[in-house]
Amino acid sequence: MTSLLVNRRDLSFLLYELLDSEELTERERFAGHSRETFDTALDTAHDIATEWFLPHAAAADEHEPTLGADGVRCLPAMRAALATYVETGFVAATQDEALGGMQLPFSVFQACFGIVTAANTAAAGYLLLTQGAANLVRRFGSPAQIETFCRPMLEGRFFGTMALTEPQAGSALADVRTTAEPAADGSYRLTGGKIFISGGDHDLAENIIHLTLARVRGAPAGVAGLSLFIVPKYLINADGTLGRRNDVATAGLIHKMGYRGTTSTVLSFGERGDCVGYLLGRPNHGLACMFHMMNEARTTVGLGAAMLAYTGYLHALDYARTRTQGRPAHAKHPASPPVPIVEHADVKRMLLVQKTFAEGSLALCLYAARLVDDAFTAEEESARGDARLLLEVLTPVVKAWVSDVCLEASYQSMQTLGGYGYTRDYPVERFYRDNRLNPIHEGTNGIQAIDLLGRKVTLEDGAAFTLLLDRMRTTIEAARSVERMSGYAEALDQAVRRLSATTHTLRQRADESDRFLANASLYLWLLGHVVGGWIWLEQARVAAHALATAAPSEQAFYQGKLLACRYFMTWELPRIEHWAALLERFDDTCLSARPECL
């Protein structure tokens, strides 16, 4: 049976034809792997996803976790699914063998995790947070902290969270009020409250490790005074066993429109004055540490958005191929038989929107994951440096642009099914509700846009942005000589020129910070669409080469890549002209709007 989670042929195309993942096995860290081990990991992920995660996805949405006198309770089926994921070693898959890992490339792992996310995004949320928390403790923790907190997370016995947001501060982390007082034993006592903490309480693991931003009393104001603390739900005894319950209380559960199986909590620290925390990293460097987990989470949020769009597309395509309704314009006689709705031009349009955004976004997410591999394992330091720069400038795009366009794709999935798409009889309305949360996860898309224009584009005097343009131009030149690609190459070349000119114009007034950043969200769309065009031109270039010698059974797949590229270049890329014009004249409609007029 064809999978409705992901097109495995497409995954193979992305990993092996577009990203050349087999080349990674020539590097020392991945020398124990081969294409066969990568495929085995993908097969295992798909088996787990279909057998353990998918069956209870709807139930997890309908029956949210509950908070009672004995704590938060989740579906037993979710506990079983997460335990199966843990048993296969996926939580530690990318880690050193010394920590129980497989040393699997991050790009291959993300493809595996994406399959699981498509099956049950609510369950995958706990894993995303735990994997990120473990990486953060491994990166900044002492040997004792790694052994006490990181290893149990990699073993799946402990789960993790990010505890940043506070009711009065929201995304303005400079206004965090949670405080930490040093204790005589070298630990700290935390007091404060956090809100919207995903995975903040549950019964899915032995312990929960909250990585918590707080301000040591007397530290500088603003983000410069924030430190990062390890705050376990249960304290750990010297022998590694669980001790008493820490002074962290779940004050309530928040009920969101999507991800309803992932607990969203209000946490209270130190109600009894005895919330024990352990400093992670250096004092007053908490936000810098936390950004390592946040950036990893942001790229994985983009991956989750892409996979929700992808599975929605496959469900819509399956429905459109089997649902008969209506007749084409040239055969309206009632005696003529109705046709599958996939034959109607507007349904094809909706499916092309989904295919283009979902497949293109997945390609971009896996490209970003490959940059992570290159940043840590490329043989040349220059290649590692380039990968880090590209990852810096692309992270806001992967998180925000992908979550926006994939939400549109999820909407089109619902619309393809007509009235049925808006009912719970089909899963596409759940995919939409889940995907609607991704523009808010790990920092609103507006904040991502400000980060992109205000920091990433100007990083190292524009070095990251310039490098990105160079990569695009390399693809453009390679595509010019490919049959049927020259027109698309020219279109992208003009888009890159416009992006470059618009960015230059904006940077001329960077000292006028309010005006410079007022339309940052539009700039993110501009850059995101040009990046999307680049990703599609690169896919089409590879597909065009392969099509020349492809077996008959493979031709439709490669032709589908060319079709999606044509759609993006014809329907989507031209939209940047209007956005660029607005940006270049520094339109102040939004900036100058008086609150009383809104």
Side-chain angles (χ1 to χ4, degrees):
M1 178 181 175
T2 302
S3 173
L4 294 182
L5 299 179
V6 69
N7 182 345
R8 279 296 305 275
R9 178 65 186 86
D10 191 27
L11 270 186
S12 293
F13 172 81
L14 296 177
L15 288 174
Y16 304 127
E17 297 178 65
L18 184 71
L19 300 177
D20 191 18
S21 294
E22 286 184 273
E23 181 269 336
L24 291 170
T25 63
E26 299 173 10
R27 302 179 185 179
E28 181 179 357
R29 180 170 182 80
F30 310 124
H33 287 286
S34 64
R35 179 165 177 167
E36 287 71 27
T37 64
F38 294 163
D39 283 340
T40 297
L42 292 167
D43 289 341
T44 302
H46 194 270
D47 289 345
I48 292 172
T50 54
E51 294 174 19
W52 292 92
F53 283 78
L54 184 60
H56 76 274
D61 181 68
E62 295 168 7
H63 306 286
E64 299 179 61
T66 57
L67 175 60
D70 56 348
V72 174
R73 297 297 179 202
C74 300
L75 282 181
M78 183 172 287
R79 191 180 310 117
L82 295 173
T84 303
Y85 182 93
V86 166
E87 288 166 6
T88 59
F90 273 122
V91 175
T94 62
Q95 301 291 334
D96 297 346
E97 292 177 353
L99 284 171
M102 307 177 194
Q103 298 185 187
L104 192 68
F106 187 65
S107 50
V108 178
F109 168 75
Q110 285 290 79
C112 295
F113 188 66
I115 298 172
V116 174
T117 302
N120 190 324
T121 190
Y126 296 101
L127 300 169
L128 181 160
L129 291 161
T130 300
Q131 290 156 179
N135 284 335
L136 192 59
V137 176
R138 178 187 57 78
R139 177 79 180 264
F140 295 104
S142 66
Q145 288 174 334
I146 292 172
E147 192 64 30
T148 304
F149 301 108
C150 176
R151 188 179 290 276
M153 282 193 281
L154 294 177
E155 293 170 349
R157 296 190 294 112
F158 297 178
F159 280 8
T161 77
M162 289 190 291
L164 288 74
T165 307
E166 297 182 2
Q168 82 291 339
S171 299
L173 296 178
D175 298 324
V176 162
R177 294 177 184 168
T178 299
T179 58
E181 295 275 4
D185 62 357
S187 64
Y188 290 78
R189 297 298 178 268
L190 274 68
T191 305
K194 301 288 183 178
I195 196 169
F196 295 124
I197 307 306
S198 297
D201 200 5
H202 52 73
D203 59 348
L204 302 171
E206 298 174 22
N207 204 355
I208 302 173
I209 307 302
H210 304 291
L211 298 184
T212 306
L213 280 181
R215 196 182 311 277
V216 177
R217 196 169 298 280
V223 295
L226 294 177
S227 298
L228 187 59
F229 296 88
I230 299 171
V231 182
K233 178 179 178 179
Y234 292 97
L235 301 180
I236 313 299
N237 296 321
D239 62 358
T241 59
L242 296 186
R244 66 175 176 84
R245 174 74 184 259
N246 200 3
D247 187 11
V248 182
T250 302
L253 295 179
I254 299 167
H255 303 283
K256 295 183 177 180
M257 67 180 291
Y259 279 76
R260 293 169 66 182
T262 307
T263 54
S264 182
T265 60
V266 180
L267 298 180
S268 179
F269 296 80
E271 289 183 352
R272 303 190 307 272
D274 192 25
C275 177
V276 179
Y278 307 95
L279 181 67
L280 179 62
R282 293 186 292 163
N284 302 334
H285 285 75
L287 193 56
C289 294
M290 183 59 86
F291 264 119
H292 286 269
M293 182 175 178
M294 290 169 67
N295 284 333
E296 178 181 335
R298 285 169 177 171
T299 58
T300 308
V301 165
L303 175 70
M307 295 310 299
L308 283 167
Y310 208 127
T311 186
Y313 161 58
L314 294 179
H315 278 81
L317 180 61
D318 181 67
Y319 182 89
R321 285 173 170 168
T322 56
R323 166 70 170 176
T324 57
Q325 180 180 315
R327 296 161 182 82
H330 69 273
K332 285 294 188 181
H333 194 282
S336 61
V339 298
I341 63 172
V342 73
E343 299 290 346
H344 299 308
D346 197 57
V347 173
K348 293 178 185 179
R349 176 192 61 81
M350 290 188 284
L351 291 169
L352 276 169
V353 172
Q354 296 168 64
K355 177 182 178 68
T356 305
F357 284 155
E359 291 185 11
S361 292
L362 179 57
L364 177 58
C365 289
L366 293 183
Y367 177 79
R370 174 58 191 262
L371 290 176
V372 174
D373 288 325
D374 290 342
F376 288 101
T377 67
E379 293 185 4
E380 301 294 331
E381 175 55 38
S382 60
R384 293 194 293 271
D386 285 352
R388 294 186 190 104
L389 278 176
L390 285 169
L391 194 59
E392 286 279 3
V393 75
L394 284 175
T395 292
V397 180
V398 171
K399 190 278 175 186
W401 182 80
V402 165
S403 63
D404 275 339
V405 298
C406 286
L407 179 62
E408 172 64 18
S410 291
Y411 160 70
Q412 297 293 348
S413 299
M414 293 174 63
Q415 194 71 11
T416 303
L417 271 67
Y420 291 114
Y422 293 79
T423 72
R424 294 197 180 186
D425 297 318
Y426 290 85
V428 290
E429 71 87 28
R430 169 165 48 85
F431 301 155
Y432 179 86
R433 286 188 291 104
D434 285 342
N435 227 354
R436 189 63 191 85
L437 268 64
N438 285 316
I440 196 72
H441 281 160
E442 307 312 327
T444 68
N445 283 359
I447 289 175
Q448 304 302 316
I450 291 172
D451 177 53
L452 174 66
L453 181 57
R455 297 187 185 91
K456 302 302 174 59
V457 164
T458 59
L459 185 68
E460 297 187 17
D461 195 29
F465 179 71
T466 300
L467 181 60
L468 177 61
L469 296 186
D470 288 344
R471 291 291 173 93
M472 294 182 188
R473 291 178 179 125
T474 298
T475 295
I476 290 166
E477 290 308 310
R480 287 191 191 277
S481 60
V482 179
E483 186 179 358
R484 292 184 290 182
M485 290 291 104
S486 60
Y488 303 149
E490 180 61 27
L492 184 61
D493 185 47
Q494 292 301 316
V496 169
R497 292 174 187 272
R498 192 64 191 272
L499 170 64
S500 179
T502 301
T503 304
H504 177 75
T505 299
L506 292 173
R507 291 189 63 186
Q508 297 308 300
R509 301 179 70 172
D511 57 332
E512 302 174 49
S513 56
D514 286 346
R515 186 175 291 273
F516 173 56
L517 296 174
N519 300 323
S521 290
L522 196 59
Y523 181 82
L524 189 145
W525 271 83
L526 170 65
L527 192 148
H529 258 56
V530 177
V531 168
W534 168 48
I535 289 295
W536 269 114
L537 184 62
E538 183 66 10
Q539 288 191 81
R541 184 186 67 81
V542 173
H545 280 298
L547 186 59
T549 57
S553 60
E554 290 276 271
Q555 289 186 4
F557 172 79
Y558 290 119
Q559 289 167 348
K561 290 294 182 184
L562 299 179
L563 175 63
C565 180
R566 174 186 176 185
Y567 175 84
F568 194 93
M569 295 299 184
T570 305
W571 286 67
E572 289 294 331
L573 195 60
R575 298 173 68 187
I576 72 163
E577 289 297 327
H578 175 60
W579 302 335
L582 284 171
L583 287 162
E584 287 171 354
R585 67 172 183 255
F586 290 88
D587 181 79
D588 69 347
T589 302
C590 301
L591 178 64
S592 63
R594 301 200 314 274
E596 64 269 23
C597 296
L598 297 175

